Amino acid sequence: MKKIAVFASGNGSNFQVIAEEFPVEFVFSDHRDAYVLERADKLGVLSYTFELKEFENKAEYEEAIVKLLDQHQIDLVCLAGYMKIVGPTLLAAYEGRIINIHPAYLPEFPGAHGIEDAWNAGVTESGVTIHWVDSGVDTGKVIKQVRVPRLADDTIESFEARIHEVEYKLYQEVVKTLIAE
Ligand code: GRF
C-alpha cells in the first residue's frame, strides 16, 4: 500500500477524514498553531510543523519538506487546506505524487475563496474538485470532481457545510483508488 502524507495549514477536517480511513504516515503544517496538529495528536498521527519565515527562502523551506517526504518514503501527498503554492523545489521532487482538494468545480472559481466566490457569483451549483498539483493555482489535471447544488433556502453557511461534506466523501474515494494503484 502506498504511503500517505497530508499537508494542512489550519483546521484540518479533511486531514481527519483521511486519517480516520487510511494510515497516514505524517501530517505537515506550515503553521505551528494550526488546529490540525491537535487533531493529529488525538488520532495518534505523527506531525511536523515549521514555517516559511523560519527559512532563508522558499527553496530552503521546501528542501526541508522534501527531506521529510524522502525519509518517510512517501508515495502520495494530499494537500488539504495547505494554503501555499507548491514551488519548484517541491514540484521537482514530487510532481505526479501530489494531489489537492478544491471546494469548487474547477476551472470555475480557483484560488483561496472558492466557496465564497461561487456564492457571490450567484451560481445555482458549484462543486468539489480533486486534482494533481502543478505550478499553477488550482490548474492541474482533474482526477475527479462532483457538482454540489446551491439550494433555494441555502445560506452561505449551509452551502459551505454541504460542500465540506462532499469534500470528505470525495477525498476518501480518491485516496482509496490512488493508494491501491
Ligand atoms: C477545504 O475546503 C479545502 O477544499 C480547501 O481548504 C479547506 C480546508 O478545510 N483547500 P480543512 O482544513 O480540511 O477543514
Side-chain angles (χ1 to χ4, degrees), residues 107-175:
E108 299 168 10
F109 308 110
H113 308 287
I115 299 175
E116 212 185 331
D117 291 347
W119 177 264
N120 290 336
V123 295
T124 54
E125 55 178 9
S126 185
V128 172
T129 304
I130 295 180
H131 63 93
W132 294 105
V133 170
D134 65 11
S135 58
V137 176
D138 303 323
T139 52
K141 190 170 181 288
V142 170
I143 300 169
K144 196 159 185 189
Q145 56 188 169
V146 291
R147 283 290 184 184
V148 179
R150 170 180 172 161
L151 305 178
D153 61 351
D154 260 343
T155 59
I156 186 160
E157 289 79 19
S158 61
F159 179 60
E160 182 167 357
R162 191 163 343 94
I163 287 177
H164 289 314
E165 285 308 315
V166 172
E167 287 194 301
Y168 304 152
K169 208 168 148 256
L170 194 67
Y171 226 156
Q172 287 188 338
E173 258 179 62
V174 167
V175 168

Side-chain angles (χ1 to χ4, degrees), residues 11-14 80-81 101-103 164 167:
N11 178 35
S13 63
N14 280 280
I101 189 159
H102 183 74
H164 289 314
E167 287 194 301

Side-chain angles (χ1 to χ4, degrees), residues 38-69:
E38 282 179 42
R39 291 185 192 265
D41 280 352
K42 283 186 196 138
L43 289 163
V45 175
L46 176 66
S47 62
Y48 294 102
T49 178
F50 46 78
E51 304 200 5
L52 174 57
K53 65 181 184 211
E54 297 161 13
F55 293 81
E56 281 294 311
N57 52 46
K58 190 156 175 184
E60 286 186 15
Y61 160 81
E62 287 197 337
E63 273 164 29
I65 292 175
V66 169
K67 209 166 151 189
L68 286 177
L69 294 171

Side-chain angles (χ1 to χ4, degrees), residues 10-29:
N11 178 35
S13 63
N14 280 280
F15 154 71
Q16 177 145 353
V17 296
I18 295 170
E20 282 171 352
E21 201 70 18
F22 311 100
V24 170
E25 279 289 309
F26 70 84
V27 62
F28 167 71
S29 182

